[in-house]
Amino acid sequence: MLAFGGSRISHQNLGSRFCSTGIFHLSSFTVKPPSSAAATVAAIVDNNSHNPRFHPRFVSSSSLQSKSPGDIPFPPVSFSQREDEHEKPSEALSSVAGGIVALGKFDALHIGHRELAIQASKVGTPYLLSFVGMAEVLGWDPRPPVVAQCDRERVLSSWAPYCGNVAPKEFQVQFMSVRHLSPRQFVEKLARELGVCGVVAGENYRFGYKAAGDASELVRLCDEFGMGAYIINSVMDRHQDARNMNRLDLKDRGQVSSTRVRQALAEGDMKYVSELLGRPHRLLLTIKDWESLTSTSSTQRMSAPRSSLLNLPPKDGFYENCSLLFGEQNAVICRVSIDTSHIHLEMDRVDFCDNDYSQKSQVLGIEFGELKR
């Protein structure tokens, strides 16, 4: 996780000692009520007994990773009762006021990010708090996003079945406005300026200027400002042992990450990319005219420059069994070839002939099949 200062932080074992205003176990219907005590324990329901066991620990996300949306339990208790304890935001209420915000850097919108949204939805209205302008402020080289900006709402909407049929929303904060905030100042901003009711973060989350705060500090500060704090275990990559993709990255302990998604795309392993994302990777491109469309008796072909791409493509090569998408129209099976300057599509004429080319510009989507080796 990149902190505000842009430092690269190694994982730390936070242990089982913590304080929290609200911690619950994912497989339990029991929510620990808010407490002002310095330490709070999570009620963990033993499936073999009617009596709950109590252990001081962080929330685990592993119990949900194999469950379908309909199997996910939702605790009946919300932290909306804590709203009376909040000081009113100093300005007009923000759109996240009273909500539960997931904290992170949501580049790829992968299954680890989805897990944060799931936990937020269990105790309130879920939001993703995203920072805008981080690359420019920190001087990073520009790079295409994993998810096109215009496609993020669709992806978040697809999470609704996992989140109590509520699609998480994104709330954007200018990175420049928080970069120099201390951990305490950042949490104070969430509580008093934005009116947030609670936060969800991963166990390795770092925040504040020069990454001064960690997950345990986040829990302590949230308690101080009357917010719930929910710290969950990382969602792990099932292929971590075989791949060792980030052996030199001290932050990498085998968790699903946007970095892994980018590297899997660079390898052209679309099955692995889909596993990390929890969905097929969708590449968007803008077609400004159809002059490149050519036809034969059985096929139609079109090409577009790489400059028309709105997000990160996979490795150059030839991909079979892809899907071409035109807005709400049915997907068309196609074959895709990517080279250093263009992306080329080929599809059966019988499938492609019913689409409307009258619009001057269209955004097309491509979901990829396997790379032909």
Side-chain angles (χ1 to χ4, degrees), residues 91-142:
E91 301 175 358
L93 287 175
S94 70
S95 61
V96 294
I100 307 295
V101 298
L103 301 174
K105 185 173 180 290
F106 301 102
D107 177 19
L109 295 178
H110 53 61
I111 57 175
H113 296 148
R114 187 180 69 190
E115 188 67 29
L116 292 174
I118 289 172
Q119 300 318 308
S121 72
K122 286 175 181 252
V123 287
T125 304
Y127 293 89
L128 304 186
L129 187 66
S130 301
F131 299 113
V132 179
M134 182 178 291
E136 293 83 356
V137 171
L138 299 178
W140 295 344
D141 292 333

Side-chain angles (χ1 to χ4, degrees), residues 43-106:
I44 304 175
V45 176
D46 187 343
N47 293 329
N48 298 319
S49 170
H50 295 291
N51 298 319
R53 305 184 276 124
F54 293 92
H55 296 288
R57 57 170 291 174
F58 287 104
V59 176
S60 168
S61 60
S62 59
S63 61
L64 285 186
Q65 293 175 30
S66 61
K67 295 189 177 183
S68 64
D71 295 333
I72 297 174
F74 291 89
V77 182
S78 169
F79 266 81
S80 59
Q81 65 265 30
R82 294 191 64 84
E83 292 178 2
D84 293 338
E85 301 178 18
H86 278 278
E87 293 189 25
K88 293 183 179 179
S90 57
E91 301 175 358
L93 287 175
S94 70
S95 61
V96 294
I100 307 295
V101 298
L103 301 174
K105 185 173 180 290
F106 301 102

Side-chain angles (χ1 to χ4, degrees), residues 10-48:
S10 62
H11 285 53
Q12 293 188 13
N13 181 8
L14 300 177
S16 60
R17 187 170 173 271
F18 62 96
C19 59
S20 172
T21 59
I23 300 290
F24 62 89
H25 189 266
L26 305 192
S27 61
S28 171
F29 285 85
T30 303
V31 176
K32 183 67 182 178
S35 171
S36 59
T40 307
V41 293
I44 304 175
V45 176
D46 187 343
N47 293 329
N48 298 319

